[in-house]
Amino acid sequence: MGRALGLSLYFGDAGSREVLHKVGAERACAATIALDTPGANYRTVWALSKYFPNVKTFVQAHDVDHGLDLKKAGAMAVVPETLEPSLQLAGAILSQVLES
């Protein structure tokens, strides 16, 4: 359905050098990674860091320990899933206060 709308869609292992190349990682300046499993996030950060070192990676971590591993793998910024709801709440509060 997305392709029918003219969107570029790719299926594959995001931690694969070939897949990252096909999606144009060599042209990217940054990547946001928020995959379902900690291992997939780690493999993707590691592959980007190794094969496309100019890409700054911003990644969602399962928890703080996973976040530390992601930083070691080359992630520029890490947000633990446990922190995400807090950030969303803070954003909603700020939005509401600024509108008042």
XYZ file of all heavy atoms in Angstrom:
745
model
N 0.816 -1.176 0.000
C 0.000 0.000 0.000
C 0.876 1.262 0.000
O 0.567 2.215 -0.701
C -0.909 -0.013 1.244
C -1.968 1.027 1.192
S -3.181 1.056 2.561
C -2.900 -0.359 3.534
N 1.958 1.225 0.774
C 2.863 2.372 0.808
C 3.523 2.634 -0.526
O 3.675 3.784 -0.946
N 3.923 1.572 -1.193
C 4.536 1.726 -2.514
C 3.551 2.314 -3.511
O 3.919 3.099 -4.375
C 5.100 0.408 -3.000
C 6.372 0.040 -2.276
C 7.082 -1.127 -2.916
N 8.315 -1.363 -2.200
C 8.697 -2.547 -1.756
N 7.953 -3.603 -1.973
N 9.834 -2.679 -1.111
N 2.267 1.949 -3.383
C 1.244 2.508 -4.267
C 1.115 4.014 -4.059
O 0.723 4.742 -4.963
C -0.097 1.821 -4.021
N 1.472 4.477 -2.870
C 1.453 5.910 -2.564
C 2.750 6.600 -2.945
O 2.931 7.785 -2.690
C 1.177 6.124 -1.073
C -0.189 5.672 -0.570
C -0.250 5.720 0.946
C -1.287 6.531 -1.184
N 3.687 5.822 -3.523
C 4.954 6.401 -3.949
C 6.016 6.456 -2.869
O 7.033 7.125 -3.031
N 5.793 5.747 -1.771
C 6.774 5.727 -0.688
C 7.831 4.661 -0.951
O 7.533 3.609 -1.507
C 6.086 5.435 0.649
C 5.004 6.415 1.076
C 4.294 5.893 2.326
C 5.606 7.789 1.331
N 9.056 4.939 -0.534
C 10.130 3.947 -0.631
C 10.051 3.061 0.606
O 10.168 3.554 1.722
C 11.487 4.629 -0.694
O 11.582 5.429 -1.840
N 9.854 1.769 0.408
C 9.766 0.824 1.509
C 10.809 -0.266 1.325
O 11.026 -0.740 0.212
C 8.380 0.184 1.568
C 7.217 1.145 1.748
C 5.906 0.389 1.661
C 7.323 1.868 3.054
N 11.444 -0.650 2.415
C 12.472 -1.681 2.370
C 12.199 -2.691 3.467
O 11.809 -2.324 4.575
C 13.863 -1.072 2.588
C 14.210 -0.041 1.548
C 13.898 1.297 1.741
C 14.829 -0.402 0.362
C 14.205 2.253 0.776
C 15.138 0.536 -0.604
C 14.818 1.862 -0.389
O 15.126 2.795 -1.342
N 12.429 -3.952 3.172
C 12.287 -5.018 4.149
C 13.615 -5.742 4.254
O 14.243 -6.047 3.246
C 11.189 -6.007 3.717
C 9.825 -5.374 3.649
C 9.355 -4.883 2.449
C 9.048 -5.259 4.786
C 8.100 -4.292 2.369
C 7.795 -4.658 4.724
C 7.328 -4.174 3.513
N 14.069 -5.991 5.474
C 15.316 -6.718 5.655
C 15.881 -6.463 7.028
O 15.288 -5.764 7.855
N 17.035 -7.030 7.278
C 17.738 -6.882 8.547
C 18.427 -5.525 8.575
O 19.376 -5.288 7.830
C 18.755 -8.014 8.694
C 19.555 -7.944 9.975
O 19.373 -6.995 10.769
O 20.379 -8.846 10.188
N 17.968 -4.635 9.429
C 18.532 -3.282 9.497
C 19.983 -3.295 9.965
O 20.687 -2.301 9.806
C 17.690 -2.407 10.428
N 20.452 -4.412 10.506
C 21.842 -4.531 10.909
C 22.741 -5.069 9.812
O 23.930 -5.283 10.010
N 22.181 -5.264 8.639
C 22.932 -5.786 7.505
C 23.547 -4.636 6.699
O 22.865 -3.681 6.345
C 21.988 -6.596 6.609
O 22.491 -6.704 5.305
N 24.824 -4.768 6.385
C 25.517 -3.749 5.588
C 24.813 -3.547 4.241
O 24.654 -2.422 3.774
C 26.969 -4.162 5.377
C 27.770 -3.184 4.578
C 29.188 -3.678 4.395
N 30.004 -2.642 3.781
C 31.275 -2.774 3.557
N 31.906 -3.871 3.898
N 31.949 -1.802 2.997
N 24.389 -4.642 3.629
C 23.739 -4.562 2.323
C 22.413 -3.800 2.397
O 22.104 -2.972 1.540
C 23.509 -5.964 1.739
C 24.782 -6.705 1.381
C 25.490 -7.318 2.597
O 24.834 -7.532 3.650
O 26.698 -7.558 2.508
N 21.625 -4.096 3.416
C 20.341 -3.404 3.570
C 20.581 -1.918 3.840
O 19.932 -1.052 3.247
C 19.491 -4.044 4.689
C 18.289 -3.168 5.039
C 19.036 -5.440 4.278
N 21.519 -1.615 4.702
C 21.817 -0.205 4.999
C 22.291 0.531 3.750
O 21.925 1.684 3.518
C 22.857 -0.104 6.120
C 22.348 -0.551 7.495
C 23.512 -0.655 8.483
C 21.285 0.401 8.011
N 23.073 -0.148 2.932
C 23.518 0.459 1.668
C 22.324 0.714 0.741
O 22.216 1.787 0.150
C 24.550 -0.441 0.987
C 24.968 0.047 -0.352
N 25.759 1.165 -0.517
C 24.680 -0.407 -1.587
C 25.937 1.370 -1.814
N 25.287 0.424 -2.483
N 21.422 -0.268 0.640
C 20.258 -0.118 -0.252
C 19.353 1.033 0.163
O 18.743 1.672 -0.679
C 19.461 -1.411 -0.320
C 20.122 -2.446 -1.181
C 19.164 -3.545 -1.528
C 19.895 -4.526 -2.383
N 19.221 -4.906 -3.567
N 19.252 1.287 1.466
C 18.396 2.394 1.916
C 19.123 3.734 1.865
O 18.561 4.761 2.204
C 17.794 2.158 3.316
C 16.961 0.896 3.346
C 18.852 2.141 4.395
N 20.397 3.722 1.442
C 21.125 4.976 1.251
C 21.863 5.485 2.462
O 22.049 6.703 2.617
N 22.320 4.596 3.331
C 23.007 5.023 4.555
C 24.234 5.880 4.264
O 24.555 6.781 5.032
C 23.406 3.801 5.391
N 24.896 5.641 3.128
C 26.099 6.431 2.826
C 25.773 7.900 2.568
O 26.634 8.764 2.678
C 26.873 5.833 1.651
C 26.154 5.882 0.324
C 25.165 4.732 0.122
O 25.105 3.813 0.953
O 24.451 4.784 -0.884
N 24.516 8.208 2.269
C 24.104 9.597 2.028
C 23.486 10.246 3.270
O 23.209 11.435 3.280
C 23.098 9.662 0.884
C 23.658 9.212 -0.454
C 22.658 9.384 -1.592
N 21.302 8.954 -1.302
C 20.819 7.722 -1.509
N 21.614 6.786 -1.999
N 19.569 7.425 -1.239
N 23.240 9.447 4.294
C 22.548 9.946 5.485
C 23.503 10.671 6.424
O 24.684 10.344 6.505
C 21.901 8.785 6.226
N 22.983 11.653 7.120
C 23.774 12.312 8.160
C 23.357 11.798 9.537
O 24.119 11.894 10.491
C 23.640 13.831 8.072
S 21.973 14.438 8.328
N 22.149 11.235 9.630
C 21.665 10.729 10.917
C 20.665 9.601 10.682
O 20.074 9.502 9.610
C 20.995 11.842 11.707
N 20.512 8.764 11.709
C 19.534 7.678 11.658
C 18.877 7.544 13.024
O 19.546 7.648 14.054
C 20.217 6.357 11.294
N 17.572 7.340 13.010
C 16.826 7.059 14.230
C 16.484 5.583 14.220
O 15.934 5.071 13.242
C 15.526 7.884 14.278
O 15.864 9.265 14.211
C 14.750 7.606 15.542
N 16.817 4.906 15.313
C 16.618 3.456 15.389
C 15.692 3.160 16.562
O 16.002 3.505 17.704
C 17.967 2.733 15.569
C 18.895 3.117 14.411
C 17.768 1.228 15.656
C 20.345 2.884 14.695
N 14.569 2.532 16.274
C 13.593 2.172 17.308
C 12.943 0.858 16.913
O 11.772 0.804 16.564
C 12.562 3.279 17.479
N 13.719 -0.213 16.951
C 13.239 -1.532 16.555
C 12.665 -2.274 17.756
O 12.849 -1.855 18.899
C 14.377 -2.315 15.897
C 14.955 -1.629 14.647
C 16.235 -2.309 14.207
C 13.940 -1.591 13.531
N 11.992 -3.380 17.500
C 11.280 -4.112 18.545
C 12.173 -4.817 19.565
O 11.772 -4.990 20.705
C 10.352 -5.158 17.924
C 9.138 -4.535 17.277
O 8.841 -3.370 17.559
O 8.491 -5.231 16.475
N 13.347 -5.255 19.136
C 14.170 -6.050 20.054
C 15.505 -5.371 20.329
O 16.084 -4.718 19.448
C 14.446 -7.451 19.474
O 15.182 -7.307 18.260
C 13.152 -8.204 19.210
N 16.014 -5.522 21.549
C 17.306 -4.930 21.888
C 18.425 -5.395 20.963
O 19.278 -4.607 20.559
C 17.549 -5.397 23.326
C 16.182 -5.616 23.886
C 15.371 -6.132 22.720
N 18.410 -6.675 20.587
C 19.459 -7.200 19.709
C 19.454 -6.539 18.340
O 20.507 -6.241 17.778
N 18.272 -6.311 17.792
C 18.168 -5.667 16.479
C 18.665 -4.232 16.543
O 19.362 -3.764 15.645
C 16.720 -5.714 15.984
N 18.318 -3.534 17.612
C 18.818 -2.164 17.775
C 20.338 -2.158 17.870
O 21.010 -1.340 17.241
C 18.220 -1.508 19.028
C 16.810 -1.023 18.811
O 16.374 -0.787 17.691
N 16.076 -0.874 19.891
N 20.884 -3.079 18.652
C 22.336 -3.147 18.822
C 23.034 -3.443 17.490
O 24.003 -2.767 17.130
C 22.713 -4.215 19.865
C 24.191 -4.276 20.105
C 24.788 -3.451 21.035
C 25.003 -5.138 19.366
C 26.165 -3.484 21.245
C 26.370 -5.170 19.558
C 26.944 -4.347 20.499
O 28.300 -4.366 20.686
N 22.556 -4.452 16.752
C 23.174 -4.810 15.466
C 23.146 -3.636 14.494
O 24.098 -3.399 13.754
C 22.469 -6.018 14.837
C 22.832 -7.337 15.450
C 22.322 -8.528 14.629
N 20.938 -8.422 14.199
C 19.886 -8.722 14.948
N 20.069 -9.130 16.191
N 18.664 -8.616 14.456
N 22.059 -2.890 14.496
C 21.930 -1.768 13.574
C 22.896 -0.649 13.940
O 23.580 -0.099 13.071
C 20.480 -1.248 13.549
O 19.613 -2.342 13.236
C 20.309 -0.144 12.531
N 22.984 -0.319 15.219
C 23.935 0.715 15.660
C 25.354 0.281 15.337
O 26.156 1.060 14.811
C 23.787 0.997 17.176
C 24.939 1.849 17.694
C 22.456 1.671 17.459
N 25.669 -0.968 15.626
C 27.017 -1.478 15.379
C 27.350 -1.399 13.889
O 28.431 -0.943 13.512
C 27.123 -2.921 15.879
C 28.482 -3.499 15.677
C 29.544 -3.409 16.530
C 28.930 -4.232 14.530
N 30.624 -4.052 15.977
C 30.287 -4.554 14.755
C 28.333 -4.633 13.348
C 31.041 -5.277 13.838
C 29.078 -5.347 12.426
C 30.416 -5.666 12.688
N 26.431 -1.841 13.037
C 26.679 -1.833 11.587
C 26.834 -0.412 11.063
O 27.727 -0.140 10.250
C 25.553 -2.555 10.853
N 25.989 0.486 11.509
C 26.127 1.879 11.062
C 27.461 2.455 11.510
O 28.158 3.120 10.740
C 24.968 2.727 11.593
C 23.651 2.562 10.860
C 22.511 3.170 11.656
C 23.729 3.190 9.469
N 27.836 2.196 12.743
C 29.093 2.709 13.273
C 30.292 2.151 12.513
O 31.245 2.867 12.222
C 29.187 2.356 14.757
O 30.385 2.821 15.307
N 30.233 0.875 12.171
C 31.356 0.237 11.484
C 31.425 0.606 10.004
O 32.487 0.954 9.494
C 31.261 -1.278 11.623
C 32.366 -1.993 10.893
C 32.398 -3.461 11.170
C 33.489 -4.075 10.320
N 34.227 -5.090 10.950
N 30.302 0.517 9.298
C 30.313 0.673 7.845
C 29.981 2.084 7.365
O 30.346 2.449 6.254
C 29.344 -0.316 7.203
C 29.648 -1.753 7.545
C 28.729 -2.536 8.216
C 30.879 -2.322 7.211
C 29.006 -3.852 8.533
C 31.166 -3.637 7.531
C 30.230 -4.397 8.192
O 30.519 -5.701 8.508
N 29.289 2.849 8.183
C 28.877 4.206 7.803
C 29.147 5.146 8.979
O 28.211 5.679 9.596
C 27.398 4.226 7.405
C 27.061 3.225 6.342
C 26.542 1.985 6.667
C 27.284 3.512 5.003
C 26.243 1.039 5.690
C 26.990 2.582 4.013
C 26.478 1.344 4.361
N 30.414 5.342 9.336
C 30.765 6.081 10.563
C 30.339 7.551 10.567
O 30.292 8.159 11.640
C 32.291 5.937 10.638
C 32.722 5.628 9.251
C 31.589 4.881 8.614
N 30.001 8.114 9.425
C 29.562 9.510 9.402
C 28.104 9.674 9.808
O 27.647 10.794 10.026
C 29.772 10.113 8.009
C 31.244 10.225 7.676
O 32.081 10.384 8.553
N 31.559 10.115 6.402
N 27.367 8.568 9.909
C 25.954 8.629 10.282
C 25.849 8.692 11.812
O 26.340 7.817 12.512
C 25.180 7.403 9.750
C 23.729 7.443 10.212
C 25.273 7.328 8.241
N 25.222 9.733 12.300
C 24.976 9.870 13.740
C 23.729 9.063 14.066
O 22.702 9.217 13.430
C 24.787 11.335 14.102
C 26.037 12.163 13.902
C 25.738 13.627 14.137
C 26.971 14.479 14.023
N 27.595 14.493 12.716
N 23.832 8.192 15.066
C 22.715 7.312 15.397
C 22.044 7.738 16.698
O 22.697 7.990 17.702
C 23.175 5.853 15.514
O 24.234 5.759 16.453
C 23.634 5.314 14.178
N 20.737 7.800 16.636
C 19.885 8.123 17.776
C 18.982 6.915 17.961
O 18.278 6.514 17.033
C 19.066 9.383 17.484
C 19.936 10.566 17.195
C 20.425 10.793 15.915
C 20.301 11.438 18.206
C 21.246 11.875 15.646
C 21.122 12.526 17.946
C 21.593 12.739 16.670
N 19.006 6.317 19.149
C 18.385 5.002 19.298
C 17.588 4.880 20.586
O 17.927 5.463 21.604
C 19.462 3.898 19.199
C 20.498 4.027 20.275
C 18.861 2.513 19.208
N 16.510 4.101 20.482
C 15.685 3.782 21.636
C 16.244 2.513 22.271
O 16.436 1.506 21.597
C 14.248 3.556 21.183
C 13.306 3.169 22.285
C 11.895 2.986 21.756
O 11.552 3.478 20.692
N 11.089 2.267 22.489
N 16.499 2.579 23.568
C 17.036 1.431 24.290
C 15.939 0.780 25.124
O 15.000 1.443 25.568
C 18.174 1.873 25.213
N 16.090 -0.507 25.361
C 15.132 -1.238 26.198
C 15.176 -0.735 27.639
O 14.152 -0.518 28.265
C 15.437 -2.736 26.124
C 14.541 -3.581 26.959
N 13.214 -3.751 26.672
C 14.781 -4.281 28.086
C 12.674 -4.526 27.605
N 13.602 -4.864 28.456
N 16.390 -0.556 28.158
C 16.562 -0.050 29.518
C 17.932 0.630 29.609
O 18.636 0.748 28.608
C 16.429 -1.173 30.552
C 17.367 -2.346 30.304
O 18.467 -2.141 29.757
O 17.006 -3.473 30.659
N 18.303 1.068 30.788
C 19.553 1.814 30.957
C 20.770 0.967 30.600
O 21.685 1.437 29.916
C 19.669 2.371 32.397
C 21.029 3.013 32.631
C 18.548 3.375 32.664
N 20.800 -0.292 31.033
C 21.943 -1.161 30.712
C 22.078 -1.369 29.205
O 23.178 -1.325 28.658
C 21.811 -2.523 31.406
C 22.019 -2.426 32.908
O 22.694 -1.479 33.362
O 21.501 -3.299 33.629
N 20.967 -1.577 28.545
C 20.984 -1.717 27.084
C 21.492 -0.428 26.451
O 22.254 -0.441 25.486
C 19.582 -2.080 26.581
C 19.482 -2.253 25.117
N 18.498 -1.666 24.369
C 20.248 -2.947 24.235
C 18.657 -1.984 23.096
N 19.714 -2.764 22.987
N 21.088 0.697 27.022
C 21.548 1.989 26.524
C 23.058 2.139 26.616
O 23.697 2.666 25.702
N 23.635 1.661 27.695
C 25.095 1.718 27.850
C 25.777 0.873 26.776
O 26.787 1.291 26.200
C 25.498 1.252 29.246
C 25.049 2.153 30.397
C 25.344 1.492 31.742
C 25.694 3.526 30.305
N 25.210 -0.298 26.488
C 25.759 -1.146 25.422
C 25.668 -0.447 24.069
O 26.589 -0.512 23.254
C 25.028 -2.484 25.360
C 25.335 -3.385 26.551
O 26.364 -3.159 27.227
O 24.533 -4.301 26.800
N 24.551 0.227 23.821
C 24.368 0.935 22.556
C 25.367 2.074 22.410
O 25.890 2.320 21.328
C 22.932 1.448 22.439
C 21.874 0.359 22.264
C 20.482 0.933 22.484
C 21.985 -0.274 20.890
N 25.644 2.770 23.496
C 26.646 3.841 23.456
C 28.013 3.259 23.109
O 28.744 3.819 22.297
C 26.715 4.575 24.800
C 25.552 5.495 25.057
C 25.603 6.693 24.180
C 25.991 7.900 24.996
N 25.981 9.118 24.205
N 28.359 2.131 23.704
C 29.631 1.472 23.404
C 29.698 1.032 21.947
O 30.767 1.004 21.352
C 29.842 0.264 24.325
C 30.132 0.637 25.756
C 30.271 -0.612 26.607
C 30.338 -0.268 28.068
N 30.276 -1.470 28.924
N 28.547 0.683 21.366
C 28.497 0.238 19.970
C 28.584 1.409 19.001
O 28.749 1.199 17.807
C 27.222 -0.557 19.711
N 28.456 2.648 19.520
C 28.603 3.804 18.655
C 27.431 4.761 18.587
O 27.465 5.718 17.819
N 26.383 4.524 19.353
C 25.227 5.423 19.321
C 25.602 6.800 19.844
O 26.323 6.926 20.832
C 24.082 4.857 20.155
N 25.129 7.834 19.169
C 25.379 9.196 19.608
C 24.480 9.562 20.784
O 24.917 10.197 21.728
C 25.153 10.171 18.462
C 25.205 11.620 18.893
S 25.337 12.706 17.509
C 27.038 13.176 17.702
N 23.215 9.185 20.697
C 22.260 9.480 21.769
C 21.348 8.284 21.961
O 20.968 7.620 20.999
C 21.447 10.719 21.427
N 21.015 8.021 23.211
C 20.188 6.877 23.569
C 19.067 7.354 24.485
O 19.311 8.118 25.410
C 21.036 5.808 24.305
C 20.167 4.667 24.774
C 22.165 5.314 23.418
N 17.862 6.882 24.209
C 16.720 7.168 25.088
C 16.131 5.837 25.528
O 15.607 5.082 24.703
C 15.629 7.997 24.358
C 14.422 8.204 25.254
C 16.196 9.327 23.892
N 16.227 5.516 26.825
C 15.627 4.272 27.311
C 14.103 4.318 27.187
O 13.491 5.364 27.373
C 16.039 4.217 28.786
C 17.196 5.149 28.903
C 16.981 6.207 27.864
N 13.490 3.163 26.864
C 12.034 3.090 26.757
C 11.358 3.565 28.035
O 10.278 4.137 27.984
C 11.597 1.651 26.462
C 11.920 1.186 25.078
C 11.543 -0.271 24.854
O 10.938 -0.903 25.754
O 11.864 -0.772 23.782
N 11.987 3.328 29.159
C 11.395 3.732 30.430
C 11.356 5.250 30.578
O 10.559 5.781 31.336
C 12.181 3.125 31.608
O 13.571 3.440 31.457
C 12.012 1.621 31.649
N 12.203 5.950 29.836
C 12.225 7.399 29.891
C 11.241 8.026 28.904
O 10.729 9.122 29.122
C 13.648 7.904 29.594
C 13.902 9.396 29.636
C 13.581 9.961 31.012
C 15.351 9.671 29.269
N 10.947 7.313 27.842
C 10.098 7.842 26.776
C 8.750 8.366 27.271
O 8.359 9.480 26.934
C 9.903 6.780 25.697
C 9.162 7.257 24.485
C 9.980 8.208 23.625
O 11.201 8.140 23.673
O 9.361 9.012 22.914
N 7.997 7.596 28.075
C 6.706 8.123 28.548
C 6.873 9.414 29.355
O 6.053 10.321 29.252
C 6.144 7.003 29.425
C 6.824 5.769 28.953
C 8.195 6.215 28.497
N 7.943 9.506 30.116
C 8.195 10.723 30.888
C 8.426 11.914 29.971
O 7.937 13.020 30.226
C 9.412 10.544 31.803
O 9.184 9.491 32.698
N 9.179 11.694 28.900
C 9.422 12.775 27.946
C 8.136 13.205 27.247
O 7.901 14.399 27.031
C 10.461 12.342 26.912
C 11.872 12.091 27.434
C 12.749 11.524 26.324
C 12.466 13.360 27.990
N 7.292 12.232 26.914
C 6.020 12.557 26.275
C 5.128 13.352 27.219
O 4.473 14.320 26.809
C 5.321 11.285 25.803
C 6.007 10.636 24.632
C 5.348 9.342 24.212
O 4.447 8.828 24.869
N 5.805 8.792 23.100
N 5.100 12.950 28.471
C 4.308 13.691 29.454
C 4.840 15.109 29.628
O 4.069 16.069 29.685
C 4.312 12.959 30.803
C 3.442 11.720 30.880
C 3.721 10.960 32.170
C 1.976 12.094 30.804
N 6.141 15.247 29.714
C 6.738 16.576 29.862
C 6.405 17.447 28.660
O 6.073 18.626 28.796
C 8.253 16.459 30.038
N 6.456 16.862 27.459
C 6.106 17.605 26.252
C 4.656 18.051 26.264
O 4.335 19.186 25.882
N 3.763 17.166 26.704
C 2.338 17.504 26.764
C 2.097 18.623 27.781
O 1.332 19.554 27.516
C 1.524 16.259 27.145
N 2.785 18.553 28.915
C 2.640 19.597 29.933
C 3.136 20.931 29.394
O 2.460 21.959 29.513
C 3.394 19.198 31.219
C 2.695 18.024 31.887
C 3.509 20.379 32.181
C 3.514 17.348 32.963
N 4.320 20.929 28.798
C 4.872 22.180 28.255
C 3.976 22.760 27.182
O 3.738 23.960 27.136
C 6.272 21.936 27.721
C 7.371 21.759 28.754
C 8.671 21.351 28.083
C 7.555 23.012 29.566
N 3.466 21.904 26.329
C 2.566 22.347 25.269
C 1.330 23.021 25.855
O 0.902 24.077 25.415
C 2.183 21.166 24.389
O 1.251 21.556 23.424
N 0.756 22.395 26.860
C -0.447 22.919 27.491
C -0.181 24.236 28.226
O -0.958 25.170 28.127
C -1.001 21.874 28.456
C -2.366 22.116 28.876
C -3.405 21.935 27.758
O -4.120 21.560 27.866
N -3.561 22.216 26.644
N 0.944 24.290 28.916
C 1.303 25.515 29.660
C 1.568 26.661 28.705
O 1.145 27.797 28.952
C 2.524 25.245 30.571
C 3.076 26.524 31.140
C 2.149 24.292 31.693
N 2.248 26.382 27.619
C 2.577 27.450 26.661
C 1.337 27.948 25.934
O 1.308 29.098 25.489
C 3.628 26.958 25.674
C 5.005 26.680 26.273
C 5.929 26.065 25.241
C 5.612 27.946 26.863
N 0.316 27.107 25.794
C -0.924 27.522 25.144
C -1.791 28.370 26.063
O -2.635 29.114 25.599
C -1.707 26.304 24.670
C -1.089 25.588 23.496
C -1.872 24.359 23.088
O -2.972 24.116 23.639
O -1.383 23.609 22.227
N -1.601 28.223 27.358
C -2.449 28.939 28.332
C -2.097 30.402 28.440
O -1.075 30.887 28.236
C -2.322 28.293 29.709
O -2.720 26.964 29.640
